[in-house]
């Protein structure tokens, strides 16, 4: 059987799997005071164990012999994600990945910074087992929450023989953790990966795979060990932009700067002058796309390096990790 055929095979026919679900909060665990309120909710209210218990498909998996453990790592709105939770999460992911009996992990997360956590976990851990991020666009109290289906799909993908790397499972699609990005504030199908497209579709518990699983070299958990992380900020190039923000950040001791650039990585001349000054003083500076799909195409006379297809927030993490790795 080819790997594609293996992936097309019904998951329910595979041997029972052992999955660990780590909860961090988000809308998936959010509640509102009324079932028809999809936006006025508080994220991170319901324990991950309770969320799992409410998904019939997962109860069925358990009755088929699957082991689905859970651990509450954090309970936050992911807009408030920070270094301490990231470090704790990466440590717990690593811990469970090292357990031989565990086949795969699911991480429940808010949608707002899911692309940042996905990027960080893949670059730091590059796991050979699957680590599946999932989230929801409607709170658990909604009349039609999307979380239960996303959770069921995420557990399915985490249990898939041959799956590996950090991926995200949302609204029936599987994305690479380093490529996925939130592109819509409300739609259930709120994620995209620019030109790269999804890794797979998940339909009725079956994976229709389009691309290979993510691979890479792990920087290692030790890069996150420092108590104080380097300061890396994002500035935006726009009509009327100038270099004042860069100058202020330089005075404050910034160590890395990402410029969210217009067009094909272009930067307002006044902002560019300030960025070049920062670069010459040893600050790591990189250009990333301000929005949309695609990849910055090098012109051959670029003065500031580009981040390719990375979003500005992912480029920020790349710079952060490189600075941390350099310290070690
Ligand atoms: N603000 C929420 C969060 O990121 C949004 C969500 O999960 O959809 O936690």
């Amino acid at each position: 059987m080819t790997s594609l055929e293996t992936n097309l095979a019904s998951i329910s026919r595979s041997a029972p799997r052992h999955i660990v679900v780590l909860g961090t909060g988000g809308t998936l665990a959010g509640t509102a005071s009324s079932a028809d309120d999809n936006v006025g909710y508080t994220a991170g209210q319901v324990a991950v164990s309770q969320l799992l218990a409410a998904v019939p498909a997962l109860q069925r998996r358990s009755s088929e012999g699957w082991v689905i453990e859970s651990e509450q790592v954090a309970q936050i709105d992911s807009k408030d994600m920070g270094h301490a939770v990231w470090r704790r999460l990466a440590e717990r992911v690593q811990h469970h990945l090292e357990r031989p009996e565990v086949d795969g992990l699911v991480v429940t997360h808010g949608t707002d910074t899911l692309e940042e956590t996905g990027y960080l976990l893949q670059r730091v851990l590059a796991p050979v087992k699957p680590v599946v991020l999932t989230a929801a666009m409607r709170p658990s109290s909604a009349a039609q929450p999307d979380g239960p289906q996303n959770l069921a799909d995420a557990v399915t993908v985490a249990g898939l023989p041959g799956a590996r790397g950090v991926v995200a499972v949302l609204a029936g699609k599987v994305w690479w953790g380093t490529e996925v990005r939130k592109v819509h504030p409300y739609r259930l199908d709120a994620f995209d990966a620019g030109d790269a497209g999804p890794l797979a579709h998940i339909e009725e518990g079956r994976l229709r795979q389009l691309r290979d699983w993510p691979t890479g070299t792990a920087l290692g958990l030790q890069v996150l060990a420092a108590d104080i992380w380097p300061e890396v900020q994002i500035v935006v190039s726009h009509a009327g932009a100038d270099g004042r923000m860069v100058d202020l950040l330089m005075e404050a001791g910034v160590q890395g700067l990402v410029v969210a650039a217009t067009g094909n990585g272009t930067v307002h001349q006044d902002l560019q002058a300030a960025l070049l000054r920062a670069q010459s003083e040893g600050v790591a500076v990189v250009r990333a796309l301000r929005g949309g799909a695609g990849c910055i195409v090098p012109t051959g006379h670029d003065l500031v390096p580009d981040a390719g297809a990375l979003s500005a927030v992912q480029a920020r993490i790349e710079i952060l990790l490189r600075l941390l790795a350099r310290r070690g």
Side-chain angles (χ1 to χ4, degrees):
M1 217 189 237
T2 66
S3 67
L4 187 62
E5 284 165 341
T6 306
N7 289 331
L8 283 169
S10 172
I11 311 298
S12 57
R13 276 194 269 118
S14 68
R17 313 292 279 168
H18 189 134
I19 309 297
V20 178
V21 184
L22 302 178
T24 73
T27 297
L28 185 97
T31 52
S33 53
S34 107
D36 54 13
D37 188 352
N38 290 315
V39 290
Y41 58 86
T42 307
Q45 300 299 300
V46 184
V48 64
S49 54
Q50 264 177 275
L51 294 169
L52 293 169
V55 183
L58 297 181
Q59 301 316 309
R60 209 166 44 245
R61 289 268 187 246
S62 301
S63 68
E64 288 164 3
W66 286 46
V67 178
I68 304 174
E69 283 179 43
S70 67
E71 178 181 326
Q72 196 77 48
V73 174
Q75 188 62 293
I76 61 166
D77 185 319
S78 83
K79 73 179 176 57
D80 302 322
M81 182 56 76
H83 300 168
V85 175
W86 266 345
R87 186 163 60 185
R88 167 107 184 119
L89 176 62
E91 282 166 2
R92 296 314 293 158
V93 169
Q94 171 90 337
H95 166 82
H96 292 293
L97 286 170
E98 282 169 2
R99 293 171 57 198
E101 72 278 21
V102 171
D103 295 299
L105 269 66
V106 170
V107 176
T108 66
H109 203 283
T111 58
D112 290 350
T113 57
L114 182 140
E115 68 202 74
E116 297 176 56
T117 299
Y119 192 87
L120 180 115
L121 289 177
Q122 174 65 25
R123 290 287 284 122
V124 171
L125 302 175
V128 292
K129 294 178 185 176
V131 174
V132 184
L133 295 169
T134 196
M137 291 297 288
R138 301 285 178 269
S140 65
S141 54
Q144 289 176 308
D146 52 331
Q149 185 65 52
N150 286 345
L151 259 180
D153 287 346
V155 169
T156 295
V157 172
L160 189 71
R164 55 178 291 150
V166 178
V167 297
V169 168
L170 299 138
K173 295 193 186 97
V174 186
W175 308 96
W176 275 31
T178 50
E179 294 173 346
V180 69
R181 61 191 63 170
K182 187 172 178 180
V183 294
H184 202 280
Y186 186 75
R187 221 166 57 192
L188 297 186
D189 192 3
F191 285 80
D192 199 352
D195 290 345
L199 182 158
H201 296 273
I202 176 146
E203 295 150 347
E204 299 295 314
R206 289 163 163 256
L207 200 80
R208 180 160 54 89
Q209 191 165 352
L210 309 173
R211 303 168 59 202
D212 211 349
W213 298 98
T215 55
T217 308
L219 290 168
L221 200 51
Q222 77 287 346
V223 290
L224 304 184
D227 281 331
I228 300 177
W229 289 14
E231 184 164 345
V232 183
Q233 296 285 350
I234 300 174
V235 293
V236 182
S237 188
H238 52 81
D242 59 33
R244 273 183 303 159
M245 187 62 85
V246 171
D247 294 339
L248 289 169
L249 289 168
M250 288 289 288
E251 272 170 40
V254 75
Q255 287 152 282
L257 283 167
V258 176
V259 55
T262 42
N264 181 35
T266 52
V267 179
H268 189 293
Q269 57 187 355
D270 297 342
L271 177 56
Q272 165 120 331
L275 289 168
L276 290 174
R277 280 198 301 278
Q279 193 170 250
S280 68
E281 286 178 35
V283 174
V285 183
V286 71
R287 290 173 299 128
L289 289 175
R290 196 172 70 168
C295 180
I296 296 177
V297 181
T299 64
H301 48 265
D302 298 312
L303 300 174
V304 174
D306 70 75
L310 295 184
S311 65
V313 291
Q314 290 174 326
R316 179 184 168 276
I317 293 171
E318 181 61 36
I319 298 280
L320 189 64
L321 293 174
R322 285 190 200 177
L323 290 171
L324 282 166
R326 204 188 291 166
R327 271 188 193 172

